[in-house]
Structures are given as structure tokens and as C-alpha cells.
Amino acid sequence: MARGGPKLDHGRRQELGQSFQDGGEHYERVRPGYPAESADWLIPAGARDALDVGAGTGKFTALLLDRGLAVAAVDPSTDMLDQLRVLLPGVPAAEGTAEATGLADSSFDVVSVAQAWHWCDPIAASTELSRVLRTGGTLGLVWNQLDTSVPWVHRLSRIMHAGDVYRPHFRPPVGPEFKELESHVTHWEDALTTEEIMELAKSRSYYLRSGEATRAKVLANLDWYLHDHLGHAAGAPLGLPYLTLTWRAVKA
């Protein structure tokens, strides 16, 4: 996700993205939502409707709905969308991608992509999302990241192979269809037990694409780190620090 980090070619990006095709119920249960502040900052005054791309189980979609927007959702995973349809039954949801939404031109004031832009081809996706946005519409890119400025969280992220490293000068790549790229950071904590943190690790692409031996090693290392090294009791809640990184750009 960050400049200077791993460079994914198109094939590798697709391969890793495919790891989220199944497991919608687990993803919904263990992945955090997003702070309200991120949506409040992203949505421009006067916006009426929004498209949530890579919507998954609807975690960011719900924030858009809560702010009174008419919302549609697109995701390539049927399994994820099945969860979204149960949780948000009034939201039109269809299979599609950021590069090919299948929706009409100039249909939305806001398009959001939460926790998914790094799986997209940013140039092709920019062209497609500009097409479905009205002139002057807003593109929003959102990521939750573990706050690795906290030393114990930095080590946790390495054990989980989370890849979360916040670089203040990072700018997500967008196509020439967009201008005035701005950023906003929200600091917050998610209350989790150690067991829930281990379940969170199971929802990461590294774990999902690994073999049984690697998975067992990750979980054993987490068990040692959380219970033996840090001394947390099983079942006791702890605050897991997060950053939510939000960017917005305007259709040129």
C-alpha cells in the first residue's frame, strides 16, 4: 500500500485479491468497521448518492447509509455480497470491480473504495470510477491500518504479516481524471480479546493464501506473543490501536 513497499504486478494482485472470494461471514465477524469521522470528512456537502466499490460485507457502506445517502454496492465476491445483503437489505448490491462496475455514466456524487484500492489497477479503476461519477464528484479511498507507531503493535503486525506501515508522505496512485487529492488520519482503538486478534490474523491475505504449516506457525507465534510475552489473559479485552487513512479527490 505504501510507496517503497512491496510492488504487486497485476497477476499477483489478482491472486491475493482472490483470497477474499470466500469467508464473508468470518470477515464480517472479525474485521473492524471504520470510524464515523472518516465518512464525515470524505462526504462533501450536498451529496445525495454514493457507490461503495469493493464493498465487501458493507462495513463502510453502512457509514454512507447512516449519513442519509442513497447507496449502491459493488464487489467481486458473491460470498461477501451475501453478507452485505443480509445486513443491509435495502442496498442494491451487484458483482463487479473498480475497473468494471457495470453501472451507468454520471450516476453518483461519491464513490468510495475502502480497504480495496491496493487490489485494483489504479489507472483502469480511475477511468471507470470517473465515468460513473458526476462532474465534480468525489472519489474516496479508505484504509484501516494497525498503528505500528506503537511498538507492541508493530511487532504484532510482523507476526501477522499484516504489512501495515504508515508512511506520512504516501499518496495513493490515481489517474488524471482526478485532482485535489487530500488526506486525513483518524486515530482510534478497537476493543478485542486475544482470541479475537488471532481470528483477525486469519482474515489477512497472507494467512488465507498460506499452507497449513505456515498457518499453524502464525497462530503459535501469536499465542506466545500475546499470552506469554505480553502477558495478556485469554478472554480479557485490550485496545488494539488503529489508524484510518482517508483520501479524497475531485473528478476533474
Side-chain angles (χ1 to χ4, degrees), residues 30-47:
V30 305
R31 282 294 184 107
Y34 299 89
E37 181 181 316
S38 63
D40 291 338
W41 180 83
L42 172 60
I43 300 168

Side-chain angles (χ1 to χ4, degrees), residues 7-237:
K7 302 299 190 294
L8 300 179
D9 62 26
H10 181 66
R12 181 60 172 157
R13 185 185 294 117
Q14 284 193 319
E15 177 188 352
L16 289 171
Q18 285 294 316
S19 62
F20 296 103
Q21 284 295 312
D22 300 316
E25 185 278 331
H26 185 260
Y27 189 100
E28 170 59 28
R29 179 164 49 85
V30 305
R31 282 294 184 107
Y34 299 89
E37 181 181 316
S38 63
D40 291 338
W41 180 83
L42 172 60
I43 300 168
R48 296 168 296 168
D49 39 37
L51 171 65
D52 195 20
V53 176
T57 62
K59 289 182 178 291
F60 198 79
T61 318
L63 287 183
L64 298 171
L65 279 175
D66 288 346
R67 275 140 193 83
L69 299 179
V71 185
V74 164
D75 194 273
S77 168
T78 302
D79 195 58
M80 293 282 188
L81 289 178
D82 285 345
Q83 293 294 314
L84 187 150
R85 292 181 180 114
V86 170
L87 296 165
L88 304 172
V91 174
E95 291 185 34
T97 66
E99 298 86 353
T101 64
L103 299 175
D105 293 358
S106 303
S107 299
F108 302 97
D109 297 316
V110 178
V111 173
S112 59
V113 185
Q115 217 71 23
W117 191 247
H118 51 297
W119 303 126
C120 304
D121 177 331
I123 301 305
S126 293
T127 299
E128 172 67 1
L129 301 185
S130 173
R131 182 185 67 78
V132 300
L133 274 170
R134 299 184 181 102
T135 300
T138 297
L139 171 67
L141 308 177
V142 187
W143 281 278
N144 281 331
Q145 287 193 350
L146 297 175
D147 187 353
T148 56
S149 68
V150 180
W152 77 266
V153 179
H154 185 263
R155 188 169 181 183
L156 176 72
S157 74
R158 292 176 66 86
I159 296 171
M160 293 170 66
H161 292 262
D164 291 345
V165 178
Y166 172 49
R167 292 176 170 84
H169 301 298
F170 165 68
R171 290 167 63 86
V174 296
E177 297 86 355
F178 294 98
K179 62 181 182 178
E180 300 174 16
L181 184 66
E182 301 177 279
S183 64
H184 180 80
V185 180
T186 305
H187 295 256
W188 61 286
E189 289 190 352
D190 197 18
L192 297 173
T193 65
T194 55
E195 292 88 349
E196 288 170 331
I197 291 175
M198 294 176 73
E199 287 298 312
L200 178 65
K202 295 179 183 179
S203 75
R204 295 280 182 163
S205 60
Y206 176 83
Y207 184 93
L208 293 170
R209 299 297 297 182
S210 294
E212 288 303 318
T214 299
R215 290 183 176 189
K217 182 178 179 181
V218 169
L219 295 179
N221 288 342
L222 282 172
D223 182 44
W224 169 83
Y225 183 60
L226 292 167
H227 300 126
D228 297 333
H229 184 71
L230 294 179
H232 293 295

